[in-house]
Amino acid sequence: MTGPGARAGAGDKNGDENGAGTRARTGAGAKTSGAPSARSGTEWYQQPLDADADAAGPDPTPPPLTPGQAFDTLYAYCAPALVQQAYLLTGRRRLAREAVEHAFQLAWHRWPEVAADRDPAGWVRAAAHEYALSPWHRLRPLPRRHHERQPADPTGRALLTALLELPPPYRRTLLLYDGVGLNLPDTAAETESSTPAAAGRLLYARAIVTERLPEPVAADDLRRLLAALPSDIRPGPTKPPALRARADLRARRWIHAAIAFIALLLTTTALTLHTAPDHYEPPIPAGSPIHGIPPRAAPGPLSQPQQKLRAKLRSETAAGPERLHPEAH
């Protein structure tokens, strides 16, 4: 425990010269009186000047979260409910977990946008729903019956079957309004429709679903059934740090693919510029036939004088001075 003299000497750290003298005198008084020091028996002049801050206690304001910590908190808060919602939209557990993981990877890839959004949970929910209802999933093979467990309750099985028979916009509208609890304007905004259109989809979906159930239910009971149907669905074993690592890896792969494509495009352009002609070459016109020229006759037999000349040329010397100085006739 620190004596009053020591607290006064430590708390007057911003005073003038008189205050400094007061600290010295009070500290000396504390030393003379033999009062124990505030920091493990050190002398008053060896104590730091922020002893008053230590006496005031820790700062009640928590430090700001890092992007990774904020992402992990958002995942822990939203992932369980999003997996259940995606299961109600698809009826497939594996696809529901895949949709949630894809949504959070996309959220980490666009984290500045998500962090500045007024409803980050709504941003991730919209991404998960859009991926779960993507028409490209129709090209994927359906899971086997023994791999996809059905609800044990007959009412739950009938409710899931009725939901999956609805068109995707009607199914999503019913889930957002009766399952998530959004109001009608927010439901219309998230489904990108007008409020009257969302109301019409909701009424039609409620009528179809309640008609397929074994017993009639009210709107409040429908909300309870939608909440209880996927209660055993849990997110996948992938942790938020692994999701962030996968998102970073996917972003790097896209960057590398874009760089490779640009390099290929530049190489192809340079090769084309190098091999392309640099001046205009007019095409050679097609030739036209010429008429009236007599055909070439084949050479016939030699005449008598030609034969004598050939014999004379063959009999004379082919080399020597006679060839340089021909005889005069």
Side-chain angles (χ1 to χ4, degrees):
M1 179 176 179
T2 306
R7 285 201 301 272
D12 235 353
K13 59 181 180 178
N14 294 324
D16 51 8
E17 296 179 356
N18 295 331
T22 304
R23 286 197 301 272
R25 288 193 299 271
T26 53
K31 176 182 177 183
T32 305
S33 61
S37 177
R39 293 185 179 267
S40 303
T42 58
E43 299 295 340
W44 63 271
Y45 53 83
Q46 296 176 343
Q47 298 180 13
L49 298 179
D50 58 347
D52 56 345
D54 293 342
D59 188 4
T61 305
L65 296 178
T66 62
Q69 293 173 345
F71 177 85
D72 297 349
T73 303
L74 181 64
Y75 181 87
Y77 176 73
C78 299
L82 287 181
V83 170
Q84 297 175 2
Q85 296 168 21
Y87 175 73
L88 292 177
L89 292 175
T90 61
R92 298 158 66 176
R93 300 170 186 263
R94 182 176 180 181
L95 181 57
R97 297 187 178 99
E98 180 182 339
V100 174
E101 292 182 1
H102 173 82
F104 275 99
Q105 290 182 17
L106 184 62
W108 178 249
H109 184 63
R110 303 180 182 178
W111 185 249
E113 175 186 349
V114 178
D117 193 88
R118 64 182 181 87
D119 185 14
W123 196 100
V124 180
R125 180 179 63 242
H129 289 185
E130 289 175 1
Y131 184 87
L133 296 176
S134 175
W136 293 105
H137 297 314
R138 300 174 185 175
L139 304 178
R140 302 172 62 173
L142 294 176
R144 297 180 181 179
R145 290 297 179 182
H146 63 276
H147 287 169
E148 193 66 36
R149 300 194 306 272
Q150 297 295 323
D153 185 16
T155 304
R157 287 197 301 269
L159 176 60
L160 182 60
T161 303
L163 282 175
L164 297 179
E165 290 178 356
L166 290 173
Y170 293 79
R171 194 186 319 160
R172 187 178 181 184
T173 301
L174 180 65
L175 175 64
L176 290 175
Y177 189 85
D178 287 335
V180 179
L182 298 182
N183 56 24
L184 197 57
D186 291 342
T187 302
E190 189 157 331
T191 55
E192 298 180 354
S193 63
S194 62
T195 303
R201 292 175 181 176
L202 178 62
L203 294 177
Y204 177 81
R206 278 181 175 179
I208 294 299
V209 169
T210 54
E211 181 182 354
R212 300 295 180 85
L213 295 180
E215 54 185 9
V217 295
D220 296 338
D221 295 335
L222 184 59
R223 294 189 181 94
R224 178 181 53 81
L225 291 176
L226 288 174
L229 179 60
S231 58
D232 59 335
I233 309 297
R234 294 291 181 268
T238 307
K239 300 300 181 181
L243 290 178
R244 289 189 273 115
R246 291 181 183 178
D248 294 338
L249 178 60
R250 176 177 296 182
R252 287 194 297 269
R253 288 178 177 176
W254 275 109
I255 293 174
H256 295 165
I259 293 175
F261 176 76
I262 293 175
L264 178 62
L265 182 62
L266 293 178
T267 304
T268 306
T269 304
L271 182 62
T272 303
L273 293 176
H274 180 71
T275 57
D278 56 354
H279 61 278
Y280 176 73
E281 296 181 359
I284 301 177
S288 59
I290 301 176
H291 304 283
I293 299 178
R296 293 183 59 181
L302 297 178
S303 62
Q304 189 68 24
Q306 292 175 346
Q307 292 180 1
K308 290 181 179 181
L309 179 60
R310 184 181 64 178
K312 183 180 178 181
L313 293 175
R314 289 179 178 178
S315 63
E316 292 181 353
T317 305
E322 295 83 0
R323 301 290 297 178
L324 299 178
H325 303 283
E327 296 178 357
H329 294 283

